[in-house]
Amino acid sequence: MTDTISIRRATREDVPQIYALVRGLADYVKEAHLLKGTEEDLLRDGFDDQPRFRCLVADDGTGTLLGTVIYSANYSTWVGRSTCYIDDFFVSDKARGKGIGRRLMAAVAAEAVAEGHGRISLTVLDWNPAREAYHSLGFEHEESALRYTVSGEALSKLAASVD
């Protein structure tokens, strides 16, 4: 199975399957109720003239996607260069344990190095068994860092408070 699987850049035509994988991730982490993005959002933000994110997929050779990784660049003053942030990374149940996740991560790493990014980062829920896989790839858990977010009504309220 793995010898026919290719890792490639996603296309507009892949979006329905990519979105299904994103939904699969939301279900897996028990946060489907938080998923607000749509296929239309993916099309608009990832496949226009100035994409806000990039996406790689694992294709089984027949056009069926087995995994996806969605990532974007940001800047770190601590690193002193741009960095790569992985927002979504998911391999379907039937494809796990076949090295597809490692191949997707290696492809992102190759792009990050080629583009001069100084780091790849991602967020993982503390109970997720995939943490061991990330450790095996060289990722390190930052004990002292806590993730904070603001969104929805709280984001709007904060934005409205500008002087």
Side-chain angles (χ1 to χ4, degrees):
M1 177 182 184
T2 56
D3 54 345
T4 60
I5 295 169
S6 65
I7 306 299
R8 62 173 174 79
R9 178 137 351 251
T11 66
R12 295 179 69 82
E13 292 73 26
D14 294 322
V15 167
Q17 288 188 77
I18 293 167
Y19 189 72
L21 288 164
V22 170
R23 275 194 335 261
L25 173 60
D27 289 339
Y28 178 77
V29 299
K30 301 169 183 58
E31 293 187 347
H33 62 286
L34 298 176
L35 181 61
K36 306 293 185 231
T38 65
E39 286 184 36
E40 292 76 21
D41 295 329
L42 291 175
L43 280 168
R44 178 193 64 235
D45 293 335
F47 299 91
D48 65 4
D49 293 339
Q50 295 183 354
R52 293 182 175 199
F53 67 85
R54 292 188 180 172
C55 181
L56 297 175
V57 294
D59 186 318
D60 74 353
T62 69
T64 299
L65 302 186
L66 302 174
T68 187
V69 58
I70 296 173
Y71 56 101
S72 58
N74 56 23
Y75 189 82
S76 171
T77 55
W78 293 81
V79 176
R81 59 183 359 156
S82 62
T83 63
C84 177
Y85 182 76
I86 295 174
D87 192 62
D88 289 316
F89 176 61
F90 188 69
V91 175
S92 67
D93 288 345
K94 70 178 181 177
R96 288 190 193 133
K98 300 180 184 341
I100 294 169
R102 185 201 55 75
R103 290 179 61 198
L104 282 165
M105 273 303 176
V108 172
E111 287 196 8
V113 168
E115 293 175 10
H117 296 310
R119 172 176 68 203
I120 296 175
S121 58
L122 50 80
T123 302
V124 183
L125 295 171
D126 61 358
W127 60 263
N128 191 334
R131 291 175 60 196
E132 290 305 315
Y134 297 129
H135 287 287
S136 74
L137 294 171
F139 283 81
E140 297 175 3
H141 177 227
E142 296 178 14
E143 292 286 338
S144 62
L146 298 175
R147 180 179 172 200
Y148 283 81
T149 61
V150 61
S151 61
E153 188 176 324
L155 176 60
S156 297
K157 182 177 179 180
L158 178 59
S161 71
V162 70
D163 292 336

